[in-house]
């Protein structure tokens, strides 16, 4: 029993990170119907900003988190303005290739600055509590709670504010929204800022939980978060959260009860089967084709 | 007329190029194929430093005597970017464009394997300093030894046996757990040999868990390992992954001795791991604090030149160059095949990492291993294991 509980806790931690990154994919897709493949690398930049803020400037945790979120958000907006906006009317495949290119640029730029893996100092006091064999670390609890809080704030923004309403309007109909006075460019920038800052926050938390970072760390995590977004129904915010937790749970549970060599194989077969029965993801709705 | 002028300029440029290339007769050209970027830049950096040091020493001494003629040594360093495909193309570039006489590197098995295929088919000597997987020097189809691929280190079956014996006899462990990267040749090979030896000698491997390169979360596997209650844990993985694995294991309450293989042996480990690795052991090629006179001379030279202690990649690269230089001195002429024949026939080479000699018809040397312990941010000599 403790074994299952321990594995569930592990799944929650991994799932929280996937969910936070998946939100970035899903928000951009919801508003632009474009997949920002550079998002995994923005997550990596978040982790490196955390390193710079914590080591070079010796800042405590809260400023580190805010600085990384703001830094990554700014980078996200700049990338949107200079790399994606000129392609907004181009075929969608061009935008996707550009996104992949931006991702490669970020990786190799970080690599060129310094190729060595970096150690993140311990920013938060980390104690481990043991309840009859179940080990719970304060860091684990913190990652899970902070992710949930960030997701709750995002949900409030999208459902309860004017900006959120504007986002939903653009996502609903991109042609009519500007006619009704929605400032499309501004809202797209805001969406990018929010989505990427969540990726930056995920980068910081990841760096705290797994304190050795390198420029390639965003690739695999980014792909997995993208899959989580698709499973949850890409474009749907609550779907991305659910998808992240499902992917985390599937990965950990395969390892827990089957040989760990089969982890990725079984995890992805399960997700493929799920997509066969629900091709638009768990919460996604089919898009009516406009003629 | 204008066209002719352009053609003329082109011709001049081409002749200049050809002339520049044909000047290669005056030097011994040695290529280094190293992991300068990618996931183990510390390895490439050490390799390059030791290579430059070895070449500078021989050139300062007036060059090298090959078949009665003095030659200077020229070094060509290529980055394989820590990628198997780029490793093959770096080897190709060294052989066809730089026209090297021999290659040293790559170091890690996953990059040495593709490069060794290129070297073998182009008939150019390649010495890998650090690749301990048996497959590197064996032909994939026939399983016969490759003719042109050599190494300066021991091989994994030996290392796996050394660690298994150490766990049973010194740590008195009966139940072992192994966590390794299933996508990497080196880790997989050594983990399997450890398991076989440990079980044949009366121990039991209670957990044999895997992950994939670039994973950072091992909580699922480690929770499973904790449930199996091992007495010791074997982590034959690279130095950049070890801190995460040990930290996560400790956080889950696994308090057993952790033992590793020579892939732990980078000075970067102290920076990345801090106090978490204190007191643990790994098998490796040499220990800086229990050095022979040859090793002491190298260590002092390296420290004076670069200000850091050489790790085992540096020592093995230096030995690779030493082997190559000794082969060159006894070679019949300066040519790729002559170097190969002389290298295979070296009677005994006294290196930084111990005495070695190539087994009959094979590129694997016979040599000993040491077990070192991590103590106060240093690798401290613990025991020697002879072949």
């Amino acid at each position: 029993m403790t074994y299952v509980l321990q594995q569930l806790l592990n799944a929650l931690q991994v799932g929280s990170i996937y969910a936070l990154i998946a939100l970035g994919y899903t928000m951009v897709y919801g508003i632009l119907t474009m997949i920002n493949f550079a998002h995994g690398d923005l997550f990596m930049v978040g982790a490196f900003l955390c390193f710079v803020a914590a080591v070079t400037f010796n800042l405590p945790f809260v400023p580190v988190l805010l600085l990384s979120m703001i830094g990554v958000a700014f980078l996200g907006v700049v990338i949107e303005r200079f790399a994606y906006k000129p392609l907004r009317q181009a075929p969608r495949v061009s935008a996707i290739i550009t996104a992949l290119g931006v991702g490669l640029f970020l990786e190799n730029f970080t690599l060129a600055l310094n190729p060595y893996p970096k150690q993140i100092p311990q920013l938060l006091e980390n104690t481990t509590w043991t309840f009859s064999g179940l080990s719970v670390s304060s860091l684990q609890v913190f990652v899970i709670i902070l992710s949930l809080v960030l997701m709750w704030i995002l949900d409030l923004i999208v459902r309860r504010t004017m900006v959120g309403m504007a986002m939903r309007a653009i996502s609903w109909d991109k042609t009519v929204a500007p006619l009704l006075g929605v400032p499309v460019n501004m809202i797209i920038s805001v969406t990018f800022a929010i989505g990427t800052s969540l990726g930056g926050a995920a980068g910081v938390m990841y760096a705290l939980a797994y304190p050795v970072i390198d420029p390639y760390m965003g690739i695999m995590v980014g792909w997995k978060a993208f899959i989580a977004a698709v499973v949850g129904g890409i474009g749907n915010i609550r779907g991305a959260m659910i998808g992240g937790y499902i992917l985390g749970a599937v990965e950990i549970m395969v390892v827990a009860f089957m040989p760990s060599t089969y982890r990725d194989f079984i995890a992805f077969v399960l997700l493929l089967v799920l997509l066969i029965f629900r091709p638009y993801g768990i919460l996604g709705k089919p898009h009516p084709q406009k003629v | 007329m204008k066209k002719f002028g352009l053609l003329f300029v082109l011709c001049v440029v081409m002749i200049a190029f050809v002339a520049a290339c044909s000047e290669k007769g005056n030097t011994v050209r040695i290529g280094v194929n190293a992991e300068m970027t990618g996931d183990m830049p510390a390895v490439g950096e050490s390799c390059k430093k030791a290579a430059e040091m070895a070449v500078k020493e021989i050139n300062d001494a007036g060059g090298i005597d090959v078949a009665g003629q003095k030659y200077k040594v020229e070094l060509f360093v290529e980055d394989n970017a820590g990628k198997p495909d780029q490793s093959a193309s770096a080897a190709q570039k060294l052989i066809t464009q730089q026209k090297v006489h021999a290659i040293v590197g790559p170091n890690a098995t996953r990059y040495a394997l593709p490069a060794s295929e290129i070297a073998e088919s182009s008939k150019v000597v390649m010495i890998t300093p650090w690749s301990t997987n048996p497959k590197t020097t064996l032909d994939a189809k026939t399983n016969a030894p490759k003719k042109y691929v050599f190494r300066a280190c021991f091989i994994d079956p030996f290392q796996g046996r050394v660690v298994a014996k150490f766990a049973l006899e010194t740590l008195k462990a009966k139940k072992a757990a192994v966590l390794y990267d299933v996508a990497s040749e080196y880790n997989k090979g050594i983990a399997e040999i450890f398991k076989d030896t440990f079980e044949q000698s009366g121990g039991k491997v209670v957990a044999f868990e895997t992950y994939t390169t670039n994973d950072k979360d091992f909580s699922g596997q480690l929770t499973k390992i904790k449930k199996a209650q091992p007495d010791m844990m074997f982590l034959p993985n690279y130095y950049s992954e070890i801190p995460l694995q040990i930290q996560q294991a400790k956080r889950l309450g696994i308090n057993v001795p952790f033992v590793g293989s020579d892939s732990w042996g980078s000075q970067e480990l102290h920076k990345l791991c801090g106090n978490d690795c204190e007191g643990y052991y790994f098998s490796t090629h040499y220990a800086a604090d229990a050095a022979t006179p040859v090793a002491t001379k190298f260590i002092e030279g390296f420290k004076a030149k670069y200000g850091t202690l050489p790790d085992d990649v540096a020592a093995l690269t230096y030995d690779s160059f030493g082997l190559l230089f000794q082969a060159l001195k006894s070679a019949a002429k300066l040519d790729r095949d002559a170097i190969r024949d002389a290298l295979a026939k070296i009677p005994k080479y006294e290196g930084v990492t111990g005495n070695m000699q190539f087994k009959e018809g094979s590129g694997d040397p016979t040599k000993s291993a040491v077990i070192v312990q991590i103590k106060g941010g240093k690798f401290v000599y613990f025991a020697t294991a002879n072949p």
Side-chain angles (χ1 to χ4, degrees):
Chain A
M1 194 56 215
T2 14
Y3 178 64
V4 177
L5 275 179
Q6 183 80 62
Q7 292 289 24
L8 274 177
L9 204 64
N10 295 338
L12 265 180
Q13 184 185 347
V14 179
S16 299
I17 304 270
Y18 287 157
L20 270 186
I21 309 172
L23 283 170
Y25 282 106
T26 232
M27 286 177 74
V28 169
Y29 185 87
I31 207 154
L32 285 179
T33 55
M34 173 212 149
I35 296 158
N36 180 16
F37 276 122
H39 192 63
D41 297 299
L42 284 163
F43 154 83
M44 176 274 292
V45 172
F48 270 84
L49 284 178
C50 166
F51 172 79
V52 171
V55 173
T56 316
F57 298 108
N58 234 333
L59 295 174
F61 175 72
V62 176
V64 167
L65 178 69
L66 290 178
L67 211 76
S68 301
M69 285 178 78
I70 292 169
V72 175
F74 178 73
L75 189 59
V77 171
V78 170
I79 288 172
E80 195 277 324
R81 177 66 192 76
F82 290 102
Y84 303 156
K85 197 181 169 200
L87 292 171
R88 213 173 276 165
Q89 307 306 327
R92 208 166 304 160
V93 90
S94 316
I96 288 178
I97 303 284
T98 312
L100 284 170
V102 170
L104 280 174
F105 170 78
L106 291 176
E107 273 161 36
N108 287 298
F109 185 72
T110 320
L111 200 64
L113 287 181
N114 193 328
Y116 286 82
K118 292 269 173 279
Q119 196 216 5
I120 302 279
Q122 200 177 343
L123 287 173
L124 295 169
E125 200 57 49
N126 189 12
T127 41
T128 310
W129 303 294
T130 319
F131 310 102
S132 61
L134 182 71
S135 303
V136 184
S137 77
S138 52
L139 194 63
Q140 201 166 23
V141 176
F142 180 76
V143 166
I144 296 170
I145 291 180
L146 184 60
S147 314
L148 288 173
V149 167
L150 285 173
M151 287 187 244
W152 175 69
I153 294 175
L154 175 71
D155 206 62
L156 279 188
I157 292 177
V158 173
R159 279 167 202 276
R160 298 263 186 268
T161 64
M162 284 302 280
V163 174
M165 199 201 278
M167 282 179 193
R168 282 180 287 140
I170 295 173
S171 155
W172 186 259
D173 195 321
K174 221 182 296 177
T175 348
V176 179
L179 298 179
L180 299 174
V182 177
V184 176
N185 284 336
M186 204 266 278
I187 295 298
I188 288 177
S189 291
V190 171
T191 310
F192 259 86
I194 296 177
T196 49
S197 69
L198 289 175
V204 172
M205 279 187 256
Y206 198 79
L208 289 185
Y210 312 108
V212 174
I213 60 169
D214 62 82
Y216 293 134
M217 64 186 273
I219 304 175
M220 209 48 215
V221 180
W223 282 112
K224 286 189 174 159
F226 169 62
I227 291 162
V230 172
V231 165
I234 196 152
N236 186 305
I237 286 175
R238 288 185 175 174
M241 302 178 196
I242 296 173
Y245 285 108
I246 288 182
L247 186 64
V250 168
E251 271 194 351
I252 295 280
M253 288 305 156
V254 171
V255 171
F257 297 107
M258 274 173 261
S260 42
T261 317
Y262 301 146
R263 183 195 61 192
D264 289 351
F265 167 69
I266 296 177
F268 291 124
V269 165
L270 277 178
L271 300 177
L272 275 176
V273 170
L274 192 142
L275 285 180
I276 289 172
F277 291 104
R278 292 202 60 93
Y280 296 96
I282 295 170
L283 293 184
K285 292 184 189 74
H287 293 283
Q289 201 72 46
K290 282 170 224 152
V291 184
Chain B
M1 218 32 229
K2 220 177 176 182
K3 261 187 188 165
F4 274 108
L6 197 67
L7 209 63
F8 178 73
V9 170
L10 265 177
C11 280
V12 170
V13 168
M14 277 179 72
I15 288 164
F17 261 114
V18 171
C21 286
S22 60
E23 261 174 51
K24 70 182 182 342
N26 308 331
T27 54
V28 176
R29 304 160 73 87
I30 301 179
V32 168
N33 183 348
E35 299 74 353
M36 301 306 299
T37 55
D39 62 347
M40 46 181 89
V43 166
E45 184 72 27
S46 284
C47 179
K48 185 175 166 229
K49 280 181 177 167
E52 281 169 351
M53 183 176 152
V55 168
K56 187 169 181 296
E57 277 176 9
I58 199 116
N59 282 341
D60 285 351
I64 195 163
D65 216 354
V66 187
Q69 208 185 330
K70 276 266 186 221
Y71 291 93
K72 288 271 179 193
V73 178
E74 209 178 336
L75 193 66
F76 298 87
V77 182
E78 279 296 320
D79 177 18
N80 60 37
K83 286 179 186 145
D85 52 335
Q86 282 210 38
S87 175
S89 53
Q92 193 80 59
K93 187 176 169 196
L94 286 169
I95 292 166
T96 52
Q97 283 183 34
Q98 324 280 29
K99 308 228 182 308
V100 296
H101 292 106
I103 299 175
V104 172
N107 294 290
T109 295
R110 60 179 116 134
Y111 316 128
L113 266 179
S116 73
E117 296 297 329
I118 304 286
E120 181 72 5
S121 61
S122 319
K123 298 191 191 306
V124 176
V125 167
M126 171 183 138
I127 307 180
T128 168
W130 200 48
S131 166
T132 48
N133 192 303
K135 283 183 198 162
T136 312
T137 52
L138 294 180
D139 190 291
K141 281 194 206 106
T142 59
N143 243 10
K146 283 180 187 142
K147 202 176 161 203
Y148 292 87
V149 183
F150 295 82
R151 70 175 105 219
C153 51
F154 48 67
I155 55 172
D156 289 338
F158 174 61
Q159 191 176 192
R161 281 196 296 273
V162 166
V163 176
K165 252 177 98 182
F166 171 76
L168 283 163
E169 288 166 13
T170 312
L171 296 178
K172 309 264 179 249
K174 300 220 163 45
K175 293 187 287 178
V178 184
L179 175 69
Y180 68 96
D181 180 353
V182 73
S184 176
E185 292 277 350
Y186 165 84
N187 314 40
K188 190 164 174 270
I190 199 163
E192 281 163 1
I193 288 150
F194 173 85
K195 185 173 185 246
D196 288 348
T197 320
F198 196 77
E199 294 195 326
Q200 274 165 22
S201 317
K204 196 166 184 312
V205 174
V206 288
F208 198 64
E209 295 297 315
T210 65
Y211 63 94
T212 321
T213 318
N214 284 335
D215 275 3
K216 303 254 159 144
D217 184 272
F218 311 100
S219 56
Q221 291 93 325
L222 289 168
T223 305
K224 209 168 164 187
I225 287 171
K226 189 189 173 193
K227 201 178 132 203
Q229 294 183 318
D231 305 324
M232 64 83 64
M233 201 164 150
F234 182 45
L235 300 170
N237 307 316
Y238 288 102
Y239 67 87
S240 53
E241 305 163 321
I242 296 302
L244 293 178
Q245 291 166 358
I246 291 184
Q247 279 164 7
Q248 289 177 34
K250 284 187 166 173
R251 218 174 279 160
L252 282 166
I254 305 177
N255 285 313
V256 297
F258 295 91
V259 179
S261 51
D262 65 309
S263 51
W264 284 32
S266 166
Q267 297 295 333
E268 283 283 299
L269 184 73
H270 304 305
K271 262 189 243 166
L272 297 174
C273 207
N275 268 331
D276 288 315
C277 295
E278 188 70 15
Y280 300 137
Y281 307 90
F282 63 93
S283 66
T284 189
H285 306 272
Y286 92 125
D289 61 333
T292 56
V294 185
T296 315
K297 188 171 158 262
F298 163 71
I299 293 166
E300 291 306 318
F302 194 93
K303 253 164 90 180
K305 196 162 181 285
Y306 301 110
T308 54
L309 268 180
D311 51 19
D312 44 82
V313 174
L316 290 167
T317 306
Y318 190 79
D319 277 352
S320 306
F321 274 86
L323 282 165
L324 205 53
F325 292 155
Q326 189 162 336
L328 279 164
K329 281 177 196 155
S330 59
K333 54 181 192 267
L334 182 57
D335 131 291
R336 289 169 172 174
D337 269 299
I339 295 174
R340 187 260 153 208
D341 292 340
L343 190 60
K345 278 192 214 112
I346 287 181
K348 183 185 162 197
Y349 172 71
E350 204 178 315
V352 172
T353 60
N355 295 338
M356 55 184 110
Q357 146 187 36
F358 290 108
K359 290 172 199 156
E360 188 69 34
S362 148
D364 304 334
T366 314
K367 60 189 289 193
S368 56
V370 294
I371 302 271
V372 298
Q373 188 178 20
I374 302 171
K375 255 190 193 165
K378 278 203 182 84
F379 299 141
V380 180
Y381 172 81
F382 191 79
T384 305
N386 288 313

